[in-house]
Structure formats: structure tokens, C-alpha cells
Amino acid sequence: MKYEYWFAGIRNIPDRTKIKLKEKAGTAEAIYYIEETALRKMQLLKEQEIWKLLEAKKKEELDRNYEAMRQKGISVIPWGEKEYPGRLKEIYDPPYALYVKGKLPDNTARAAAIVGARSCTPYGEKYALEYGKKLAECGIQVISGLARGVDGIGQRGALLGGGKTFAVLGSGVDVCYPKNHMGLYLDILEQEGGILSELPPGTPPLPQHFPRRNRIISALSDIVLVMEARERSGSLITADLALEQGKDVYALPGPVNSSLSQGCNELIRQGAGILLSTEMLLEELNMNCTEENKKTAKIAKVLESGDNM
């Protein structure tokens, strides 16, 4: 798997190109040892991409770096492995690999993304927590981005509901961002969820990483819930990606004079589902979730902390 770690870590070669190259070469190890002449004969890489791959071979300490990643409890799941999430295979531009700390979402269980504004109002906080908790109680996995505001609160709700939640980061999985969500980060792992990223360990949370990570959040989910969003926001990017992927999008209605509800109200105007209550949503999902048939999972002792939201 160390060669997969090496190949996944090469930047500036598109994921789709990496997938085609691996399918033709057979394994990442074969790509590592391939001669330049044979590589060119494949006619899959541009000149600059060939140079990038050849330069990556010259880097030393592959064994040491791979072992250091494993010592951190991080695994790499490349395209073609049976563990690679089936939902990701279905999108147009799947990541070549996922780095994982903890566990991957269960591909056979339902999953919902909860996304929204970082600077959310008490109204948004209330319903992000409520929907995260209720969905988790009914065995629905919650996917989000660990961000401040709605994302983190929705994931905290999932933990309080005794369920599993998975955070897709715009940084390496060993870089908790924001830093004051370290408690939430650790609680997610403690409750058998996972921290996921397509970016190599150690990658900082740069602005350009977040729009692309949103396609993974939506892809891993069956539905996307937008709790609060401005007219132009990252949450609406996630909603657009979800629609492109054939997923259902729901939005929380809000006051017409609230800037944080403009995005949600516009989604509803365009035909998104409307979030009026958790019971109505579960009914639409054909889930009869009562106290008697809630998922019987071990509920971790999670302290509700404002610092972790």
C-alpha cells in the first residue's frame, strides 16, 4: 500500500487521469517502476504530468513517510480497493484516494449531509442540532465538514443522538480545522465515526481546497440538508453538486429579511424540499422511526460544549 500512498500524494495530476493510468498499469507499484519510454507510450499524461510523476520517484524516504502516516492511525484507500466508497465511484470526478482516520461511512446505510452557514443564528443552531440528533437516532449517518456553525453543530447533534458522523476536511486528516473543534474531532473518532480527506496528511486548510471537498460531502450522502445559507455560500455549492449527482436537497425556510436564509429560501423557490419538521422528513424518507425501533447503538458519553460547536 506504500506505493498507493506515493501515487495518491502526487499533486497536479488529475484524479481521473490517475484512475486511467492505474487501470492501464494495473497497480501503483507498477506505475512507480515504469520506465519513462513505456509511460509515454501510454499517451495518458501531458508532458508536465510526466515530469511531475518522474520527479516524485526521486523523492527519498518513501518507507519512512508511509510508516509515519500509519503511526498516526491514518490509512489510504485508493480507487480500485474494495473499501473505496461505492457512492464516490458514481460521481463524475471521484478522488483517486481517500485518507482516513477512524472509519469510512457504511455504504449500505443511509447518510445525510448537514451543511450551512458558519456564522449561523440561534435558529440555525437549534435545527442543525435537532436534525443531526434525530437522524442519528434513526440510524442515519451524518456527513459534514467539521466547520464552525451549522456543520459542527449538526455533527454534535449526531453524536448526542448516539449515531455516527463523518467529517470531510479541506486539509489533511491530521490537521483539525478549525483548531477549536479538536474536542468534536476526537469525539467523532471515539464514537466510531471518521475523519476523511482527499488531501495528503499535513496539508494545510487552504481556501481552494474547500469547494472541491464539498463534492465528497454530497457524494457520500443520500440527501443534503441546508440549514442556513447566504445568497452566495459554500453550502449552495454543496447543494448544486448534490443536484448534479442526482441527490435530493432540502432547505430550512427562514425569515425573508434574514441574509442567512436567502440561500435556503431561494433553494426552496427552485424546488428543493422544505424542512418543516424531523417527523415530516423521516416520513418522506419512508422511515418509521419510533422509540421502539430506533437504532440500538451504544451511546457514547459526549459532553455538549459550546467550544466544540
Side-chain angles (χ1 to χ4, degrees):
M1 194 59 72
K2 71 178 181 181
Y3 295 106
E4 291 288 3
Y5 163 75
W6 164 79
F7 190 44
I10 301 174
R11 312 314 295 169
N12 302 315
I13 297 180
D15 289 321
R16 288 171 61 83
T17 301
K18 283 184 178 180
I19 291 169
K20 290 178 182 178
L21 183 56
K22 181 180 177 180
E23 288 175 343
K24 197 157 188 176
T27 65
E29 183 176 1
I31 296 169
Y32 185 85
Y33 287 108
I34 196 170
E35 296 291 336
E36 182 178 349
T37 303
L39 188 63
R40 291 182 181 279
K41 284 183 179 178
M42 289 184 177
Q43 297 183 337
L44 290 174
L45 301 180
K46 298 176 182 177
E47 187 63 32
Q48 187 177 14
E49 294 167 350
I50 292 173
W51 179 82
K52 287 285 184 184
L53 193 148
L54 296 175
E55 280 295 307
K57 288 186 185 184
K58 297 177 183 178
K59 292 183 178 179
E60 299 176 355
E61 302 180 340
L62 172 57
D63 290 337
R64 178 180 173 182
N65 292 339
Y66 176 63
E67 186 58 32
M69 181 190 75
R70 294 184 63 201
Q71 289 296 322
K72 291 181 178 180
I74 301 170
S75 57
V76 58
I77 312 296
W79 176 273
E81 293 296 313
K82 64 180 181 180
E83 297 87 358
Y84 189 92
R87 289 182 174 103
L88 281 184
K89 294 178 183 178
E90 300 170 2
I91 66 174
Y92 173 75
D93 55 347
Y96 173 76
L98 280 182
Y99 298 89
V100 182
K101 194 170 178 64
K103 296 187 176 182
L104 284 166
D106 181 351
N107 202 55
T108 64
R110 290 194 179 189
I114 297 180
V115 298
R118 286 173 169 80
S119 56
C120 60
T121 67
Y123 171 74
E125 290 181 10
K126 169 182 167 61
Y127 287 104
L129 191 72
E130 180 178 313
Y131 276 87
K133 184 174 184 293
K134 186 66 175 181
L135 291 174
E137 287 175 346
C138 297
I140 299 175
Q141 304 168 110
V142 173
I143 316 291
S144 200
L146 200 78
R148 294 184 184 90
V150 166
D151 288 29
I153 294 167
Q155 295 194 275
R156 176 58 68 189
L159 295 177
L160 292 171
K164 294 181 181 180
T165 182
F166 301 85
V168 185
L169 305 188
S171 62
V173 294
D174 55 341
V175 180
C176 179
Y177 180 79
K179 291 182 179 179
N180 65 352
H181 272 195
M182 180 56 76
L184 177 59
Y185 177 105
L186 294 174
D187 287 341
I188 288 172
L189 296 174
E190 178 68 22
Q191 203 152 316
E192 299 187 343
I195 310 296
L196 321 175
S197 179
E198 65 181 323
L199 301 165
T203 303
L206 301 177
Q208 62 266 31
H209 296 159
F210 292 90
R212 281 190 57 76
R213 74 89 188 257
N214 290 346
R215 82 193 193 286
I216 299 176
I217 292 175
S218 58
L220 291 174
S221 309
D222 297 307
I223 60 173
V224 172
L225 312 185
V226 185
M227 307 311 293
E228 276 190 320
R230 297 184 187 277
E231 193 173 10
R232 294 181 179 83
S233 71
S235 302
L236 298 188
I237 293 174
T238 307
D240 288 342
L241 290 166
L243 292 171
E244 290 175 9
Q245 295 164 359
K247 310 296 178 71
D248 289 329
V249 173
Y250 291 81
L252 182 71
V256 294
N257 63 346
S258 170
S259 62
L260 284 169
S261 290
Q262 286 179 357
C264 288
N265 291 340
E266 179 61 21
L267 284 173
I268 293 168
R269 190 183 73 83
Q270 293 175 2
I274 183 169
L275 294 174
L276 296 178
S277 71
T278 54
E279 292 75 19
M280 290 180 67
L281 175 63
L282 291 167
E283 184 178 343
E284 285 195 36
L285 298 178
N286 294 316
M287 294 194 70
N288 180 25
C289 188
T290 65
E291 289 296 329
E292 290 72 26
N293 65 11
K294 283 180 182 176
K295 181 171 72 81
T296 56
K298 179 181 179 182
I299 300 180
K301 293 181 180 180
V302 181
L303 296 177
E304 186 173 0
S305 168
D307 290 339
N308 288 335
M309 289 189 179

